[in-house]
Amino acid sequence: MTDTLTLRTPDDWHLHLRDGAMLRAVTPETARHFARAIIMPNLVPPVVTAADAAAYRDRIMAALPEGARFQPLMTLYLTEQTDPEDLARAHESGLITAVKLYPAGATTNSASGVRDFDKVRPVLERMAEIGCPLCVHGEVTDSDIDIFDREAVFIDRVLDPIRKATPGLRVVMEHITTMQGVEYASDGGPDLGATITTHHLVINRNHILAGGIKPHYYCLPVAKREEHRLALRRAATSGDPTFFLGTDSAPHTDANKLQPCGCAGCFTAPNTLSILAHVFEEEGALDRLEAFTSLNGPRFYRLPVNEDRITLTKGAPVSYAERIVTEDGPVTLFDPGFPLLWQVQT
Ligand code: NCD
Ligand code: ZN
């Protein structure tokens, strides 16, 4: 029986670090286990210009514990006013790694997102020219589309037309949650990648809604039926280079989660690797965990793989604190609902 696993240090290709007190509290949690992360720009106000991204990067660096070697990979929040030249310079200089597309209203702090996709066509064309990836929150927001269908409808109505209209645009389908997402990504060729979160490998919609509502399992895109969770597990554990880890660790204070209109987001940064090792072992795919956490992402983003290694060992159940303390209030960790036996050695 395998009880030790050594991996190239993982990267997180979709992460929310927030700002202020929350940033200071959660950044060390990711820096402990990950070498790099794609940093989501949905702050209030959002990170829209190169100057915003440079200032945010400095705040992240200041929140790192001494000696940490974590590298934030910055993104710009695409708006209908984004200046293609500002974006191109920021990419060329290495300040930003990607650009994030939120359909307006799709999720937390997405009000400045895109309403009319024709308005961003010149920016997307420029991105295709310079090879800057577009990270896509793939859900339509039309009120007449059922929330469980929003990803599948987005692929047909928005994503596929954008990709056909913009040849060469490199796209990451972020936090896919459906078998339609898996299929579209698998067939998309080398310019299309997809991230999968930790929590979508663990929960389906019953976990949120059956036997009482569980706000800590509510995130966007919302978890779907079991058949979709199983499709995601097959994709993540397949070794297919299209699929890589983006935790979408999205901390909110308990006060903001536990209220009549609670925020979407699961906080998974501290225990993600323990959970993933459990999932990959259940699928008989421990030998493919490194591809998912540490190889496929850099390959898509055309970055070198990390040279450092981390080791996980399997033993007695690991106890994680139920919540972390921040100056804004407590933030509850994602509870996978099973004992975690794998632990990252420090
Ligand atoms: C994210 C957040 O809280 O910023 N929430 C979430 O449920 N994942 C936004 C997002 O990535 O959609
Ligand atoms: Zn997110």
Side-chain angles (χ1 to χ4, degrees), residues 14 16 18 42 107-108 137 175 219-220 248 250 252 264-265:
H14 179 131
H16 299 270
R18 314 301 190 198
N42 63 332
T107 187
T108 313
H137 182 110
H175 41 50
C219 68
L220 288 170
D248 195 14
H252 292 280

Side-chain angles (χ1 to χ4, degrees), residues 227-246:
E227 60 189 353
H228 296 288
R229 185 185 74 104
L230 296 177
L232 296 172
R233 280 172 84 110
R234 281 192 298 274
T237 59
S238 66
D240 180 338
T242 306
F243 301 102
F244 40 93
L245 174 64

